[in-house]
Amino acid sequence: MGIEELTYIAVIGSRLLVPLLLIRFPLPAIIACLVIDAADQSIFQAVAPDADLSGYQSYDKALDIYYLVIAYISTLRNWTSQPAVYIARFLIFYRLVGVVLFELTGVRELLFIFPNTFEYFFIFYEAVRLFGDPRRMSNALLIGATAFLWIFIKLPQEWWIHIAQLDMTDFIQETIFGVEPGTPWVDTFLNRPG
């Protein structure tokens, strides 16, 4: 078994196993899921630059839904604020509609119209839960936090990924390190070690 196969097994394995921690350790597990999701395509491209990733978007969305559904189950089990559970339910089902429509049509703009605000709302709630009692949050605060996350965090991110189709690793290499996209990371860091 070569490095490419081992990398695929490690990445897919982590995308399947880490979400299982969401019920017991929601905040660190959702952050780990986000990091793995953000890095997997870049890892595949680094290990196998000529690999065919044409089916990547569909497999990625399926694994996203997998971990988001487990996160939603965590809300049903762990959350004590009923209004927050209602908001989480709306956000995940709204995203699910968008993903189904995207899979049926292939229109990437649908992922912008149906952003994945659920995961950031999940992080918000779990951060509050870490330091206090989420039941003390007013409905206005919950709705305001949701609107902020939707408008100022998720819409720009979804535009970047699905409409502009920009790659964050390319952006970091070009803008921050001043090297060509695809430059090995060792060379990237050596270009600007400070």
Side-chain angles (χ1 to χ4, degrees):
M1 190 176 297
I3 187 74
E4 291 178 18
E5 291 85 10
L6 288 173
T7 301
Y8 287 126
I9 290 169
V11 170
I12 301 300
S14 65
R15 292 214 53 193
L16 291 171
L17 295 175
V18 170
L20 299 176
L21 300 172
L22 282 161
I23 304 291
R24 183 97 171 150
F25 308 103
L27 189 57
I30 195 83
I31 291 170
C33 288
L34 277 168
V35 169
I36 295 166
D37 180 32
D40 63 351
Q41 185 177 13
S42 297
I43 292 168
F44 292 149
Q45 289 173 334
V47 172
D50 298 327
D52 178 22
L53 296 176
S54 59
Y56 167 79
Q57 197 70 24
S58 291
Y59 116 83
D60 181 59
K61 291 296 156 243
L63 289 172
D64 288 350
I65 295 304
Y66 169 73
Y67 89 78
L68 292 174
V69 167
I70 294 173
Y72 177 65
I73 292 168
S74 174
T75 69
L76 298 176
R77 180 182 182 272
N78 298 329
W79 290 14
T80 55
S81 169
Q82 205 56 38
V85 171
Y86 294 148
I87 291 170
R89 179 178 301 141
F90 168 78
L91 294 173
I92 192 160
F93 286 130
Y94 187 77
R95 177 60 170 193
L96 288 174
V97 167
V99 170
V100 168
L101 291 173
F102 166 73
E103 287 299 327
L104 292 173
T105 65
V107 176
R108 295 177 67 87
E109 290 79 5
L110 288 168
L111 298 173
F112 173 77
I113 295 168
F114 294 88
N116 183 10
T117 309
F118 169 78
E119 65 190 345
Y120 287 99
F121 183 73
F122 185 91
I123 291 170
F124 165 74
Y125 183 94
E126 288 297 335
V128 169
R129 192 164 80 104
L130 192 63
F131 297 107
D133 185 356
R135 289 176 292 186
R136 302 176 95 188
M137 290 188 288
S138 68
N139 290 348
L141 175 63
L142 289 168
I143 292 168
T146 303
F148 176 83
L149 293 168
W150 191 312
I151 295 165
F152 297 107
I153 306 290
K154 282 313 291 182
L155 284 181
Q157 182 185 27
E158 299 286 356
W159 177 87
W160 178 276
I161 295 168
H162 299 296
I163 307 258
Q165 296 184 24
L166 298 171
D167 185 308
M168 184 55 76
T169 54
D170 291 348
F171 175 79
I172 290 170
Q173 285 185 309
E174 285 180 320
T175 308
I176 297 174
F177 291 99
V179 298
E180 290 294 316
T183 302
W185 282 101
V186 172
D187 297 335
T188 300
F189 290 124
L190 289 174
N191 190 51
R192 291 201 179 147

